[in-house]
Every structure is written in C-alpha cells, then in structure tokens.
Amino acid sequence: MRLNELGGEGAQVEARAGAAPPLDPASQNGASADSPLGERSFGAASPIEERPIEEAPIPKAPLQEAPIQEGSVRLQAGSGFFRPESRPSRDLGVLLAQHLVAQRRQHRPDAPGLRVLDLMAGCGIRSLRYGIEAGAAAVWANDADPDRLALLKANLAGLGGGRCTTRTAQKLLAGCLLREQRFDLIDLDAFGCPSALVPLALEALAFDGVLYLASTDGRSPTGHDRPAAIRSLGAAARAHPASWELALRLQLGVQARAAWVLGRGIEPVFSFSEGRTFRTAVRLRRKPGPQAERLLGLLAHCHGCGDQQVQSLVQLRQWRPCLCPDQANARLSISGPLWIGPLQDPASLEALASASGASSASLSPAGARLLAQLRRDDGLPARCWPLAELAKRLGAGPPPLGALVEALRQQGWSAQASGVMPAQLRSDAPWERLLQVAAHVTRPPQAPAVQGAALNR
C-alpha cells in the first residue's frame, strides 16, 4: 500500500480541481540526514503500513438539514460537535494558516502548500476553512468517532488534498512518529486536558510550524481541583484573580517543558480564553531561545492584601514580604511551574491583522474584537489584577482603567489593559505604588475651599 501525500491511509477525497500537487521533500524542516530526529519528506513511504480504517462511502445524497454558513464555507453539522460561539477561535486559526502560507511564499515562492492536521475535527468546519480560506494544500481531518466519518467525507468532498480518518488522537500521532511525518499546522481542539497528547503533537510538527491547542479543563488550572492539576499539568494551581490567564500560563508551561525535553523551543503566537476553553498557539523552534529557562517560574498571590509576585525557577529566592500588617500570618498562594513569558507575539498578530484585511470573510466582528484586544497586550509581566479587587482594597468604586494605565506609565511603570480577561490591569508597579496611583485616579484631589466659596458668590 502506498501512503498518500499526508502519509495517511485510506482513499482520497476527490477534489473539484483534481488532486493536490505532490509535496516537495526538500521543503520539510530538518529533512537532511544530519537532522537530530532524522526527519524525512512529509510524504515519504514507510515500511510500517497500516490497513485503512475508513470504509464508509461518501453519501450520494445531501444530508437532510439546513447547511451552516461560516466564512467562505457551507457545510452540515450533523452529529459533529459545533459551537457557533467558538467562531472567533476558528477565525484566528484561519488567519494563522494564511499567515503561515504567506511566510512560506515570502521565503520561497515555489514552496509547497501548507499541510494541516485537524486531530479532533468534529463536523470538519476547521478543516474545510483551512482548505478553502487559507489555501492549505493538504488537510487531514480526523475524529475518533467512526459514526462521523460519512459526515466528514461529505463536508470535505470538494476539498483538494483532503483526508478523513477516525482514529484516536494517540494512535494517529503515534503513527506519525513512526513514519516521521510532519505538519505545518496541527489543530488540537481537545475535550478536557490535552497534556498527554502534547509530546506526540510536537513530534508531528515541522520546525517553525504551529500547534494550536485547546483545553476545556477549567477546574484544574484555575485552582478548583488541586490534585487534578498536579496529575494533569505537573504543577500547583491555586485560586487566582486572573484565573483565565493562570490556566493559559499553566498550559504553556506544559508545552514548553515537553519541547525542551525534545531539545526544541516554543514561542507563543497568541493565547486567549472566554472562560470555558483555553487556547494557545505556539510556534516550534529547532532549539530553545537564549535563556528560555527563565520563562518558567512561579506566581504567588496573597489573598490577604492582594499582592502578587513572580519568580523564575532559575533564580528562586525567598519571597519578599507582602503588605499584610501581620507578617506572621501572611500566606502566599503559589502556582506553578508555569510560563511567565509573553502570551502574544506582536509581530505575528500584526501579520494576522493584515491577512484579515485581504480576506474579510475570514474574520467575524467578534473575531476582529478578539484580535484587537490581543494586539494591545503582549502578556508581560505576569501580574494582573481585576479592577474589582482594587476597588475592594480602596473601599471605593473601581478606578477608570484608561486613566490608571496612563498614570502608571507617566511614573515609568509598564501598564496596559489585559487582553485575556476584561476589566483587568497588567503592570510591573509594586502593589503599594499601584494602590496609591489607583486611589489618586479614583478620588482626584478636591478643589481648594476658597475657590468653591468664590464660585458661590
């Protein structure tokens, strides 16, 4: 049996314009014999061959339901999992794929097209958009539920270079490892915590490729199930006022450690959440960046006074005293190890914004708002407070966020609104100074009494 362009099994889904062009072996990162991983061409044959598992025929008649229109594609959801509310995340995935295609063409105009693996495809909406809107040359749509195969084939029937399989993600990725297959973009829209799949997914990723990872485990990384966090994340997770960001940083920490074990490095492209799903997109590098280990650390929060502190694992030292008057009873809640580096890559987000202008159908209004808020906040430093907590500490209403940011910047501190959670402030200002500035902008100085008397005359 000959492996197809995706290195996968099974019959090809026919395209309107014919099959996808052959993939160039030289385009694969690390394809030389000198590569530490011995990487080969994306479509190279392997002595280990597996029997096709997709045997359901493409339906002859259309499915009896109203089609879904999203971006430039139409399809049926059927029994496949589909949430309209998740469109902004799909929009950013399409823009990311368009950005990767543009990068390849910029450095090598004759480079082969993008190769995408959609590990948990559901109804295939992301796969179809990657192929149609991003122009991916080869898309492998997989879902572990065999009952969804006919739906996937029907929805992707007009997509050139498409493949549909029904495997567990573990088996599919293990097969990729054995056959030394690599993808430029892996979309892992997981249910629950995907930590167990991260090492295999990174092995299946080409250098400079992107792993777009989602987790629906909201309890463990936000401090609501401490034992589960230790099991699934290898880290402590304590209740924190910036809980969504805490979950994202723990997720990035898992990916960084998995990449470092392989001798690789990661760079976050973007990270976001709506409180239900936690999504990170990371670029895989051949080796860790300079002093990359300093980007893994611990985050401490005092529930008594509200102070937050960050330390790198490389430079662990005693925590400094917080603002609690009774230091003997002061208790810091410490989470980590987690990622304390940037959450967003400003240059990549600018490129995504440019790509959205070229294909407006790919970006919904909600997606545009998400992209805009991420562009305003790179995620540094890893200290973030809700305005409601500042209000509680001050015994007044919440300070105006814009005025607070501007006042802190005028004093030389970094400050910006969080792009991860609404109504939150990110700053490197000491907690005591932050409270003083917040009090000033919340309760500005009163006008002198003599002026008021003059106005009443």
Side-chain angles (χ1 to χ4, degrees):
M1 179 180 71
R2 182 179 178 81
L3 298 177
N4 56 37
E5 300 104 317
L6 285 173
E9 305 79 3
Q12 181 177 4
V13 177
E14 296 297 328
R16 283 192 297 262
L23 300 175
D24 182 1
S27 70
Q28 171 58 44
N29 285 326
S32 68
D34 296 330
S35 168
L37 292 180
E39 295 178 79
R40 301 186 309 185
S41 161
F42 186 88
S46 167
I48 301 175
E49 298 181 349
E50 302 179 28
R51 188 172 61 186
I53 64 169
E54 62 270 37
E55 299 176 356
I58 299 176
K60 300 299 183 183
L63 299 177
Q64 299 300 313
E65 62 177 84
I68 295 168
Q69 177 77 44
E70 182 172 290
S72 300
V73 306
R74 289 170 63 89
L75 77 165
Q76 283 112 0
S79 62
F81 185 76
F82 177 78
R83 291 185 67 239
E85 300 85 358
S86 297
R87 174 164 181 186
S89 68
R90 293 189 289 268
D91 289 350
L92 262 62
V94 171
L95 295 181
L96 176 60
Q98 292 172 351
H99 172 52
L100 293 175
V101 169
Q103 277 189 320
R104 294 164 71 90
R105 291 174 179 169
Q106 179 181 4
H107 294 99
R108 183 181 165 190
D110 61 340
L114 198 72
R115 293 155 295 194
V116 177
L117 173 60
D118 187 359
L119 269 170
M120 298 181 181
C123 65
I125 179 66
R126 296 187 306 279
S127 295
L128 191 58
R129 293 190 65 188
Y130 287 138
I132 299 298
E133 297 180 38
V139 179
W140 188 344
N142 176 78
D143 196 278
D145 185 355
D147 293 336
R148 290 180 182 167
L149 182 59
L151 175 69
L152 275 176
K153 283 189 172 184
N155 283 334
L156 273 63
L159 185 62
R163 294 290 185 277
C164 301
T165 55
T166 55
R167 298 175 174 231
T168 65
Q170 291 92 334
K171 288 183 178 180
L172 191 152
L173 291 172
C176 291
L177 176 60
L178 291 174
R179 289 185 294 274
E180 299 180 357
Q181 297 166 235
R182 302 291 185 270
F183 299 85
D184 305 302
L185 174 62
I186 297 179
D187 189 319
L188 177 47
D189 193 28
F191 294 95
C193 180
S195 295
L197 297 173
V198 169
L200 284 172
L202 292 175
E203 289 274 24
L205 197 61
F207 294 133
D208 299 326
V210 174
L211 172 60
Y212 191 15
L213 182 69
S215 169
T216 59
D217 176 17
R219 289 184 54 78
S220 302
T222 56
H224 294 88
D225 192 340
R226 297 181 195 173
I230 294 172
R231 293 193 305 267
S232 61
L233 301 167
R238 305 294 296 273
H240 192 276
S243 57
W244 299 0
E245 182 165 323
L246 177 70
L248 292 170
R249 292 189 179 280
L250 286 165
Q251 185 166 307
L252 288 168
V254 168
Q255 296 175 78
R257 297 199 303 272
W260 293 342
V261 167
L262 299 174
R264 309 301 183 213
I266 65 160
E267 295 176 356
V269 179
F270 55 75
S271 314
F272 65 93
S273 175
E274 84 293 356
R276 174 172 177 167
T277 306
F278 304 91
R279 302 182 187 273
T280 54
V282 301
R283 184 178 288 109
L284 181 68
R285 296 303 195 188
R286 287 181 176 269
K287 60 182 181 180
Q291 300 185 334
E293 298 79 9
R294 295 177 180 271
L295 301 180
L296 197 70
L298 302 175
L299 177 61
H301 173 245
C302 178
H303 291 277
C305 69
D307 194 10
Q308 292 186 35
Q309 301 180 42
V310 181
Q311 291 196 49
S312 168
L313 290 184
V314 175
Q315 296 178 308
L316 279 182
R317 58 191 182 277
Q318 186 175 5
W319 297 97
R320 57 178 170 75
C322 62
L323 296 185
C324 288
D326 183 4
Q327 285 295 303
N329 292 318
R331 295 290 184 269
L332 293 177
S333 296
I334 301 173
S335 299
L338 46 71
W339 181 262
I340 59 175
L343 297 176
Q344 330 292 348
D345 175 31
S348 295
L349 291 176
E350 290 298 323
L352 264 61
S354 299
S356 68
S359 56
S360 57
S362 297
L363 190 62
S364 63
R369 290 192 295 271
L370 173 60
L371 180 57
Q373 72 187 45
L374 296 182
R375 291 171 65 190
R376 293 191 291 265
D377 175 28
D378 63 1
L380 287 175
R383 300 168 71 236
C384 211
W385 290 270
L387 296 181
E389 179 163 355
L390 290 171
K392 183 179 75 171
R393 305 295 174 186
L394 296 173
L401 183 55
L404 180 56
V405 167
E406 182 61 27
L408 287 168
R409 289 177 177 176
Q410 287 180 358
Q411 295 190 14
W413 307 105
S414 72
Q416 60 266 356
S418 169
V420 177
M421 294 185 72
Q424 292 213 353
L425 170 78
R426 184 186 312 284
S427 180
D428 63 351
W431 180 229
E432 184 176 16
R433 172 61 63 183
L434 201 158
L435 288 174
Q436 292 171 353
V437 176
H440 178 78
V441 300
T442 303
R443 297 187 292 265
Q446 298 295 320
V450 63
Q451 293 182 5
L455 290 175
N456 291 329
R457 290 179 182 174

